[in-house]
Amino acid sequence: MNIQRIWARGFPLFLSILFLLMLSACNLGATDEQQINITDVPQQTQNAIQASPSPNQPTRTPSGVVVLPTPQILPTSQLPPTFSFRPPPPIIPTLTALPVNVFILSPIPGNVVAGNVQVIGAAMHPEFLQYQLEYGPDPNPSNLWYPITGGVQSPVFNGLLGIWNTNTPNSPDGLYQLRLRVFLRNGVDWGNVVVNNIRIQNRVPLPVPTNTQVPAPIAAFTQDKVTGTAPLTVNFINLSSPANLITGFTWNFGDNTTSTEISPVKTFNNPGTYTVTLTATGPGGSSNVSRQITVQSANPPVAGFTTDKTSGSAPLTVQFTNASTGGQITSYLWNFSDGSTSTEQNPSHQFTNVGTYNVILTVSGPGGSSSATRQITVGNPIQASIQATPDANNPLRINLSATVTGGSGTYTAYDWDFGNGQTLFGQVSPNASVTYASPNTYTITLTVTDSTGAKKTVTQPVTLQAPPNPLSGDFTITQTSPTDLTVAFTATATGGSGVYTYSWNFGDTNTGNGESVNHNYGTAGTYDVTLTISDGTNNTTITKQLTIDPTQQIPPLSADFTISQASPTDPNIGVSATASGGTGNYTYSWNFGDGNVGNGQVTNHTYAGTGTFTITLTVNDGANDAVISKDVTINALPPLTGDFTISQASPTDLNITVTASAFGGTGNYTYSWDFGDGSVFNGDIPASRAYTYGTAGTYTINLTIADGMNTFPVSKQVTIEATQTQPPPYAGSVPVLDNIGELTPDLSPVYNNGQNSGLSSSAFAIVGDQTAADTNFLRAVFNLDPNMTNLAGIQATIDRFNSTGSFTRASVAVGTLTAQDLLNTATNPACNGVETLLQCEMRLANGSIVIVSIGYQDALNGLDSGTFQAQLNQIVSQALANNVIPVLMTIQPSTNSSANTLINAYNEIILTTSDNLRVPVINTWRALDELPNQGLTGETPSVDVNGAGYISDNPTAGANARNYYTLVTLTEIVNNLFTP
C-alpha cells in the first residue's frame, strides 16, 4: 500500500520533469548559456531590499524553488531523440500536499523573444492567496527583479500568467530569467519558479537556427527537500539532457563547496539560504539551473502583526504594528499589494483606491524567514453636504441638516462648528440648529465620522440679514388756495420690507391708490383724509383733516389747447387741452371741423383730405362751459414713386436679392412682390427680400409700392442661366464594403505565408495620414448595440485583436503623412534603419493585416494623380511582399473645396487599385457622404452622442461609421481567411 502511494505521488512529477526536458530540447536557442556567478557564502538578501520601490524599479527578494510543470503529451513529430543516459528515479518532494501546480510552460530556456511575450503556465495551490510574475538579468548576482504583474489574486492553470513587454529601457537585448512567486494564505512565499537562459532580441533581426548546429545541453535537477533545520542533508537528482551531448557536471552548493558527481548528497551544517547551481557541459556549450535551499536554526522567527483598523473608506491610512516572535529578526519586508512595499518595523500606509488588499509581512533572520498575511478592505469615501434653512419665526436662527453617503454606511458622530464659537460634538442625528447674536456671514463646519473611524469635513457659508425697522409713514396735503377744490396728496414710508402700497380714503366716500394722487372735491367743507400703507406683511394708518373754505369766490372757468403735427402734409394731428377755474371737475369735447368729434383731455385725429379745418374745444366743469377754436392746415402730399434693384452673385446663381426704394406719398411704405414664377409676397415692410428660383430661366419681377393711400407699380426682368452639372464622384457608385469571399483565393496564399513566417492572426497594423491617426479610429472603448445583426461576430473580432493590444498600441506610421512618407526609409528609433516606415510598422505590429488610410495629405499638397497611383501600388506591393494583407480605405469627404477634386480622383485610383491587385477596400467616402453633413464636424468625423465606440448596424456619425465598417471588414477577413 505504501509503494502504491509513493508511485501515485511520484509518477506525475516524473512525467512533468520529462515533459519540460523534451520541450526545452525542441526550443533551445543557438547561443551558449552564460554562467551564473556563485557566491562564497549563503545569500542574505534582506539587506538589499529596497524600501517602497517605484513601479519601474526592481524588487530585491530571494529566489526560491523550481517546481516543474505538469506533463502534456506532445505530437510524435516533436519528441526528442532517444537518450543514452537515464537519470535515477526521482525522490518524492515533501513540500506540500497535492494538488499543486506552479510552473512556467513558455518561454523555456534557450528561447529567443521580442516585443510583447505571453508567459504561459500555472499558479495553483490549495492555500493560494496571490501570485506575482517578475523578470531579471541572467546571471543575476545582485538579485534584481522587475515586476511583470502586480499581485494577481486569481489562480491560473495552463493559461496566461501575464504579458512580458521585452521592449523597455530596463530590458536591453541580452539574457534574462523569469520568476513566478506564489503567496499562500498563511503568508508563506512558496514555489518561486525560475526559468533562465531567455534571450531578448528586439534591435536586430532574429537569428535563424540551422539544422547542423549542435545544441547545448539543458541543465535540470530536483531534490528531496528544500527546507529544514541544521544540519540538513539533501539528496540531489540530476535530470539534465540529452545525455549523449553531456561531457561533465559541476555542482556549486553556495557554501564554497562543489561536486562533479552526477547526483550528489550534500549536508548543510549552518542556517542560511543557499543557491545551488548545476552546470551541464557538452560540445554545443553549457547551461545551468539554480534552486535555493533554506536551512533554519532551531529557533526561527515567526511573523505576526496587528493593525489599528482592517477596513474603512478611501483614502484609508492604516498603522501596522509588528508582533513577530521567535528567533532574531534582521529585516522586515511589507508588501501592501497595491504596488508599494516598506522595510520599516512598524509602518503606516495609506490605501488610496477602493478594493481589498492582502498585506504580507515577511521577517528574516539567521534562523530563516516567515510570513504573515492580513486583509485590508477599502470602501467608497464619505461624501457629505450641508443644507441651511432660515427659521421662519426668527431671522437670526438657522436650521441645519446633513446629507451623507459613502463610507461604511453607518455614521457614528456629526460634529458641528457654527463659526461663532459655538460647537455641537458627538451628535448621532444629522440635524442641528443655531441662533446667532447678530447679522453677519458665518462659516458652518461639519465633520462626519463613520463606524470605521473614517472622517469627512465640509463647510457651508451662511449670511444673516438684520431684521427690518418697523413700518411707519406720513403724507402731505397741497392746495393752491384755501378755496381750491383740487387737492394734491403725497405719501412717504419707511421700515418694513421696503416694498409699499398706498390706499387713500378722501373722506367724501371717494378712494384712490398710489404714492402721489390728486382729488377734486365737489363742494367746500371739512374732510378726514386717511392713508393706509402696506409692506405686504404689516399695515400702518395715518389720518389728517382737510378744510376747503366755502366763503371764498370760485374763479371763472377758462380753457386752451395745443395742436401737434409732424409736417404740413401729415394728416395725423394730436390735440392736448388745459383748463382752470370753475369747480375743477372738467370734461373735454372736440369738434375737428371735418364732421368728426372726440373726447378726452388729450386725443389724436387723422384727416381724410387736404385743406384748412377749424378745431373747437368745449370744457365743462359741471356748471359752466368754456369754448375755444383754432385752425389747422393739411397740405397735399407729393406723388408716390419708386424703383428696385436686383443683385445676383453670378448669371447661373438661382439666389437673388431685390431692394426697393420709394419716394413721396405718406411715407408709410409697404412692398408687394411677384417673382414671375407663381411666388407672391404681399405687404413686406423691409425694402429688401432674398429669393431662390427653382430652375434657370427668364422671369418678370413685379413690385407694387403702397403708402396707405396710393400704390405705384414697377417691373423688371431677371435671367438665370443654366449650369453644367458635374458627374457624381466614382466612389459614390461603389459599395461601402468589399466582398471578402471573392478575394479568398487571392488572399489565402498571403495569409498562409504570413503564418509560416510567424505573423499573428490576432494582430493588425494601422498606417496613414491624419485620418488614420484620429484617436477616435479603432482607439475608442467599444460599446456594441445589443440589437446588431452580427453582434457575436463583431464582439469575437474585438476580443481577438484586443488580446494582442492592436486597438491600443501606438503606430509609428501615422500622422500628417503622404504616401511617399510610408515608402521612405524609417528614422524612428524603433526601426532598424534600412526598412521603410511601412515595413517598420508591419514588423513591430507582427500582424497579418495592415489598414492603409492614405491620400488626404497628398490632396492638400496637390500631388498629381499619376504619382499617387504609382506610390499606392508600391505600398500594396510592399505589404504583400511581407505576407501582410493590406486593407485600403478611400479618403473621407472634405470641407476643403480645393482638395475635393484630387480626393475624388484619388478615391477612383484607390478603388481601381483594389480591383487590379485583388486586395480588400473600405469605401469610407461613401460611408460618410451618405450621413448628415457628410459625417463631418469641420474636417473631423462627427461622433455619436454615445461616444465614438458605439457600434450599430446603421451608424449616424462619421467616427462611428468608420469604426463599424472597419470591424465588419476585419470580421469578414477572420471568418473567410483565418484558421480558428
Side-chain angles (χ1 to χ4, degrees), residues 112-119 163-168 171 173 199-204 206 804 809 843-846:
V112 180
V113 298
N116 291 324
V117 179
Q118 296 186 11
V119 181
I163 301 296
W164 179 19
N165 180 8
T166 66
N167 198 358
T168 70
S171 56
D173 287 358
R199 178 171 296 280
I200 293 179
Q201 197 157 313
N202 283 300
R203 303 299 182 260
V204 297
L206 297 179
T804 60
R809 71 174 299 274
R843 176 179 61 79
L844 293 175
N846 195 41

mmCIF file of all heavy atoms in Angstrom, residues 112-119 163-168 171 173 199-204 206 804 809 843-846:
data_model
loop_
_atom_site.group_PDB
_atom_site.id
_atom_site.type_symbol
_atom_site.label_atom_id
_atom_site.label_comp_id
_atom_site.label_asym_id
_atom_site.label_seq_id
_atom_site.Cartn_x
_atom_site.Cartn_y
_atom_site.Cartn_z
ATOM 1 N N VAL A 112 14.432 32.608 -27.844
ATOM 2 C CA VAL A 112 14.745 33.976 -28.235
ATOM 3 C C VAL A 112 13.419 34.696 -28.413
ATOM 4 O O VAL A 112 12.546 34.233 -29.148
ATOM 5 C CB VAL A 112 15.564 34.011 -29.548
ATOM 6 C CG1 VAL A 112 15.877 35.450 -29.930
ATOM 7 C CG2 VAL A 112 16.849 33.215 -29.387
ATOM 8 N N VAL A 113 13.221 35.828 -27.713
ATOM 9 C CA VAL A 113 11.926 36.510 -27.694
ATOM 10 C C VAL A 113 12.108 37.968 -28.055
ATOM 11 O O VAL A 113 13.204 38.512 -27.985
ATOM 12 C CB VAL A 113 11.254 36.389 -26.302
ATOM 13 C CG1 VAL A 113 10.979 34.943 -25.960
ATOM 14 C CG2 VAL A 113 12.135 37.028 -25.231
ATOM 15 N N ALA A 114 10.974 38.625 -28.425
ATOM 16 C CA ALA A 114 10.966 40.047 -28.755
ATOM 17 C C ALA A 114 9.546 40.554 -28.581
ATOM 18 O O ALA A 114 8.584 39.790 -28.630
ATOM 19 C CB ALA A 114 11.452 40.285 -30.186
ATOM 20 N N GLY A 115 9.412 41.892 -28.375
ATOM 21 C CA GLY A 115 8.092 42.510 -28.278
ATOM 22 C C GLY A 115 7.355 42.072 -27.030
ATOM 23 O O GLY A 115 7.916 41.851 -25.971
ATOM 24 N N ASN A 116 6.015 41.942 -27.150
ATOM 25 C CA ASN A 116 5.169 41.506 -26.040
ATOM 26 C C ASN A 116 5.091 39.980 -26.042
ATOM 27 O O ASN A 116 4.614 39.376 -27.006
ATOM 28 C CB ASN A 116 3.765 42.102 -26.161
ATOM 29 C CG ASN A 116 3.775 43.592 -25.923
ATOM 30 O OD1 ASN A 116 4.535 44.076 -25.093
ATOM 31 N ND2 ASN A 116 2.955 44.329 -26.650
ATOM 32 N N VAL A 117 5.537 39.345 -24.962
ATOM 33 C CA VAL A 117 5.646 37.886 -24.886
ATOM 34 C C VAL A 117 4.603 37.357 -23.909
ATOM 35 O O VAL A 117 4.518 37.831 -22.761
ATOM 36 C CB VAL A 117 7.059 37.467 -24.424
ATOM 37 C CG1 VAL A 117 7.161 35.950 -24.333
ATOM 38 C CG2 VAL A 117 8.103 38.022 -25.384
ATOM 39 N N GLN A 118 3.796 36.396 -24.335
ATOM 40 C CA GLN A 118 2.835 35.753 -23.452
ATOM 41 C C GLN A 118 3.562 34.719 -22.586
ATOM 42 O O GLN A 118 4.225 33.830 -23.110
ATOM 43 C CB GLN A 118 1.726 35.066 -24.258
ATOM 44 C CG GLN A 118 0.860 36.028 -25.063
ATOM 45 C CD GLN A 118 -0.304 35.318 -25.709
ATOM 46 O OE1 GLN A 118 -0.591 34.163 -25.398
ATOM 47 N NE2 GLN A 118 -1.002 35.997 -26.588
ATOM 48 N N VAL A 119 3.428 34.864 -21.276
ATOM 49 C CA VAL A 119 4.008 33.900 -20.333
ATOM 50 C C VAL A 119 2.902 32.927 -19.943
ATOM 51 O O VAL A 119 1.895 33.308 -19.333
ATOM 52 C CB VAL A 119 4.578 34.614 -19.096
ATOM 53 C CG1 VAL A 119 5.203 33.599 -18.154
ATOM 54 C CG2 VAL A 119 5.616 35.653 -19.522
ATOM 55 N N ILE A 163 1.616 39.267 -19.605
ATOM 56 C CA ILE A 163 2.252 39.707 -20.847
ATOM 57 C C ILE A 163 3.560 40.410 -20.484
ATOM 58 O O ILE A 163 3.563 41.400 -19.750
ATOM 59 C CB ILE A 163 1.348 40.661 -21.642
ATOM 60 C CG1 ILE A 163 0.009 39.966 -21.986
ATOM 61 C CG2 ILE A 163 2.048 41.109 -22.914
ATOM 62 C CD1 ILE A 163 0.143 38.781 -22.888
ATOM 63 N N TRP A 164 4.686 39.910 -20.983
ATOM 64 C CA TRP A 164 6.018 40.445 -20.694
ATOM 65 C C TRP A 164 6.414 41.378 -21.828
ATOM 66 O O TRP A 164 6.651 40.929 -22.947
ATOM 67 C CB TRP A 164 6.989 39.290 -20.553
ATOM 68 C CG TRP A 164 8.424 39.704 -20.263
ATOM 69 C CD1 TRP A 164 8.862 40.887 -19.776
ATOM 70 C CD2 TRP A 164 9.595 38.886 -20.446
ATOM 71 N NE1 TRP A 164 10.222 40.885 -19.631
ATOM 72 C CE2 TRP A 164 10.707 39.660 -20.036
ATOM 73 C CE3 TRP A 164 9.806 37.584 -20.895
ATOM 74 C CZ2 TRP A 164 11.997 39.177 -20.094
ATOM 75 C CZ3 TRP A 164 11.094 37.096 -20.941
ATOM 76 C CH2 TRP A 164 12.183 37.883 -20.545
ATOM 77 N N ASN A 165 6.446 42.693 -21.544
ATOM 78 C CA ASN A 165 6.901 43.678 -22.526
ATOM 79 C C ASN A 165 8.426 43.714 -22.490
ATOM 80 O O ASN A 165 9.029 44.257 -21.566
ATOM 81 C CB ASN A 165 6.314 45.051 -22.210
ATOM 82 C CG ASN A 165 6.762 46.102 -23.220
ATOM 83 O OD1 ASN A 165 7.387 45.784 -24.240
ATOM 84 N ND2 ASN A 165 6.437 47.351 -22.947
ATOM 85 N N THR A 166 9.072 43.100 -23.488
ATOM 86 C CA THR A 166 10.534 42.998 -23.501
ATOM 87 C C THR A 166 11.209 44.221 -24.097
ATOM 88 O O THR A 166 12.431 44.296 -24.095
ATOM 89 C CB THR A 166 10.967 41.754 -24.303
ATOM 90 O OG1 THR A 166 10.613 41.946 -25.691
ATOM 91 C CG2 THR A 166 10.291 40.497 -23.780
ATOM 92 N N ASN A 167 10.417 45.167 -24.621
ATOM 93 C CA ASN A 167 10.997 46.326 -25.311
ATOM 94 C C ASN A 167 10.898 47.549 -24.407
ATOM 95 O O ASN A 167 10.128 48.462 -24.642
ATOM 96 C CB ASN A 167 10.267 46.560 -26.632
ATOM 97 C CG ASN A 167 11.076 47.444 -27.570
ATOM 98 O OD1 ASN A 167 12.157 47.911 -27.226
ATOM 99 N ND2 ASN A 167 10.533 47.706 -28.738
ATOM 100 N N THR A 168 11.651 47.577 -23.290
ATOM 101 C CA THR A 168 11.643 48.673 -22.323
ATOM 102 C C THR A 168 13.072 49.080 -22.019
ATOM 103 O O THR A 168 14.021 48.330 -22.302
ATOM 104 C CB THR A 168 10.934 48.255 -21.019
ATOM 105 O OG1 THR A 168 11.758 47.304 -20.335
ATOM 106 C CG2 THR A 168 9.572 47.644 -21.306
ATOM 107 N N SER A 171 15.125 46.498 -20.203
ATOM 108 C CA SER A 171 15.395 45.188 -20.811
ATOM 109 C C SER A 171 16.070 45.338 -22.171
ATOM 110 O O SER A 171 15.495 45.010 -23.201
ATOM 111 C CB SER A 171 14.088 44.403 -20.966
ATOM 112 O OG SER A 171 13.145 45.156 -21.710
ATOM 113 N N ASP A 173 18.661 44.267 -25.199
ATOM 114 C CA ASP A 173 18.909 42.928 -25.724
ATOM 115 C C ASP A 173 19.959 42.201 -24.882
ATOM 116 O O ASP A 173 20.997 42.772 -24.531
ATOM 117 C CB ASP A 173 19.375 43.010 -27.178
ATOM 118 C CG ASP A 173 18.230 43.382 -28.102
ATOM 119 O OD1 ASP A 173 17.110 43.529 -27.595
ATOM 120 O OD2 ASP A 173 18.470 43.525 -29.313
ATOM 121 N N ARG A 199 16.739 34.760 -24.183
ATOM 122 C CA ARG A 199 17.409 35.886 -24.853
ATOM 123 C C ARG A 199 16.371 36.842 -25.446
ATOM 124 O O ARG A 199 15.485 36.428 -26.191
ATOM 125 C CB ARG A 199 18.330 35.402 -25.962
ATOM 126 C CG ARG A 199 19.034 36.562 -26.724
ATOM 127 C CD ARG A 199 20.089 36.067 -27.662
ATOM 128 N NE ARG A 199 21.187 35.406 -26.960
ATOM 129 C CZ ARG A 199 22.179 36.059 -26.349
ATOM 130 N NH1 ARG A 199 22.203 37.381 -26.362
ATOM 131 N NH2 ARG A 199 23.140 35.399 -25.735
ATOM 132 N N ILE A 200 16.476 38.149 -25.060
ATOM 133 C CA ILE A 200 15.671 39.211 -25.678
ATOM 134 C C ILE A 200 16.451 39.768 -26.862
ATOM 135 O O ILE A 200 17.634 40.113 -26.730
ATOM 136 C CB ILE A 200 15.360 40.325 -24.663
ATOM 137 C CG1 ILE A 200 14.438 39.794 -23.561
ATOM 138 C CG2 ILE A 200 14.714 41.530 -25.348
ATOM 139 C CD1 ILE A 200 14.115 40.836 -22.499
ATOM 140 N N GLN A 201 15.799 39.842 -28.002
ATOM 141 C CA GLN A 201 16.464 40.340 -29.207
ATOM 142 C C GLN A 201 15.457 41.190 -29.984
ATOM 143 O O GLN A 201 14.764 40.722 -30.870
ATOM 144 C CB GLN A 201 16.962 39.173 -30.060
ATOM 145 C CG GLN A 201 18.010 39.602 -31.100
ATOM 146 C CD GLN A 201 18.875 38.437 -31.530
ATOM 147 O OE1 GLN A 201 19.359 37.686 -30.697
ATOM 148 N NE2 GLN A 201 19.073 38.288 -32.808
ATOM 149 N N ASN A 202 15.340 42.517 -29.610
ATOM 150 C CA ASN A 202 14.418 43.440 -30.253
ATOM 151 C C ASN A 202 15.085 44.309 -31.309
ATOM 152 O O ASN A 202 14.429 44.780 -32.227
ATOM 153 C CB ASN A 202 13.774 44.377 -29.206
ATOM 154 C CG ASN A 202 12.692 43.683 -28.410
ATOM 155 O OD1 ASN A 202 11.714 43.218 -28.974
ATOM 156 N ND2 ASN A 202 12.884 43.607 -27.094
ATOM 157 N N ARG A 203 16.389 44.544 -31.182
ATOM 158 C CA ARG A 203 17.035 45.576 -32.007
ATOM 159 C C ARG A 203 17.570 45.065 -33.333
ATOM 160 O O ARG A 203 17.843 45.825 -34.234
ATOM 161 C CB ARG A 203 18.191 46.200 -31.221
ATOM 162 C CG ARG A 203 17.775 46.792 -29.895
ATOM 163 C CD ARG A 203 16.749 47.911 -30.079
ATOM 164 N NE ARG A 203 16.397 48.508 -28.801
ATOM 165 C CZ ARG A 203 15.307 48.218 -28.132
ATOM 166 N NH1 ARG A 203 14.457 47.352 -28.641
ATOM 167 N NH2 ARG A 203 15.054 48.802 -26.975
ATOM 168 N N VAL A 204 17.782 43.770 -33.485
ATOM 169 C CA VAL A 204 18.315 43.217 -34.727
ATOM 170 C C VAL A 204 17.430 42.067 -35.151
ATOM 171 O O VAL A 204 16.694 41.498 -34.355
ATOM 172 C CB VAL A 204 19.775 42.729 -34.557
ATOM 173 C CG1 VAL A 204 20.700 43.879 -34.221
ATOM 174 C CG2 VAL A 204 19.859 41.677 -33.467
ATOM 175 N N LEU A 206 15.956 38.463 -35.777
ATOM 176 C CA LEU A 206 16.137 37.243 -35.006
ATOM 177 C C LEU A 206 17.007 36.255 -35.790
ATOM 178 O O LEU A 206 16.825 36.056 -36.998
ATOM 179 C CB LEU A 206 14.784 36.611 -34.707
ATOM 180 C CG LEU A 206 13.835 37.449 -33.849
ATOM 181 C CD1 LEU A 206 12.536 36.716 -33.643
ATOM 182 C CD2 LEU A 206 14.471 37.778 -32.510
ATOM 183 N N THR A 804 -4.027 41.081 -28.271
ATOM 184 C CA THR A 804 -2.656 41.471 -28.606
ATOM 185 C C THR A 804 -2.446 42.981 -28.489
ATOM 186 O O THR A 804 -1.362 43.464 -28.796
ATOM 187 C CB THR A 804 -2.317 41.037 -30.044
ATOM 188 O OG1 THR A 804 -3.235 41.685 -30.962
ATOM 189 C CG2 THR A 804 -2.430 39.537 -30.194
ATOM 190 N N ARG A 809 -2.196 49.904 -29.231
ATOM 191 C CA ARG A 809 -0.775 50.162 -29.468
ATOM 192 C C ARG A 809 -0.601 51.405 -30.353
ATOM 193 O O ARG A 809 -1.426 51.715 -31.210
ATOM 194 C CB ARG A 809 -0.083 48.960 -30.096
ATOM 195 C CG ARG A 809 -0.462 48.690 -31.535
ATOM 196 C CD ARG A 809 0.393 47.544 -32.114
ATOM 197 N NE ARG A 809 1.794 47.878 -32.092
ATOM 198 C CZ ARG A 809 2.414 48.552 -33.056
ATOM 199 N NH1 ARG A 809 1.735 48.969 -34.104
ATOM 200 N NH2 ARG A 809 3.715 48.806 -32.978
ATOM 201 N N ARG A 843 6.466 45.215 -39.122
ATOM 202 C CA ARG A 843 7.305 44.325 -38.300
ATOM 203 C C ARG A 843 6.986 44.486 -36.825
ATOM 204 O O ARG A 843 6.886 43.503 -36.086
ATOM 205 C CB ARG A 843 8.781 44.628 -38.562
ATOM 206 C CG ARG A 843 9.740 43.813 -37.686
ATOM 207 C CD ARG A 843 11.190 44.115 -37.995
ATOM 208 N NE ARG A 843 11.539 45.495 -37.762
ATOM 209 C CZ ARG A 843 11.794 46.019 -36.560
ATOM 210 N NH1 ARG A 843 11.719 45.249 -35.476
ATOM 211 N NH2 ARG A 843 12.103 47.294 -36.441
ATOM 212 N N LEU A 844 6.833 45.721 -36.363
ATOM 213 C CA LEU A 844 6.569 45.951 -34.942
ATOM 214 C C LEU A 844 5.197 45.402 -34.542
ATOM 215 O O LEU A 844 5.044 44.836 -33.457
ATOM 216 C CB LEU A 844 6.643 47.443 -34.630
ATOM 217 C CG LEU A 844 8.028 48.100 -34.765
ATOM 218 C CD1 LEU A 844 7.930 49.590 -34.535
ATOM 219 C CD2 LEU A 844 9.024 47.473 -33.801
ATOM 220 N N ALA A 845 4.190 45.563 -35.416
ATOM 221 C CA ALA A 845 2.850 45.057 -35.097
ATOM 222 C C ALA A 845 2.796 43.538 -35.186
ATOM 223 O O ALA A 845 2.018 42.893 -34.469
ATOM 224 C CB ALA A 845 1.818 45.680 -36.036
ATOM 225 N N ASN A 846 3.609 42.934 -36.096
ATOM 226 C CA ASN A 846 3.676 41.470 -36.265
ATOM 227 C C ASN A 846 2.295 40.883 -36.538
ATOM 228 O O ASN A 846 1.968 39.806 -36.080
ATOM 229 C CB ASN A 846 4.291 40.805 -35.018
ATOM 230 C CG ASN A 846 4.711 39.359 -35.301
ATOM 231 O OD1 ASN A 846 5.247 39.065 -36.360
ATOM 232 N ND2 ASN A 846 4.426 38.469 -34.378
#
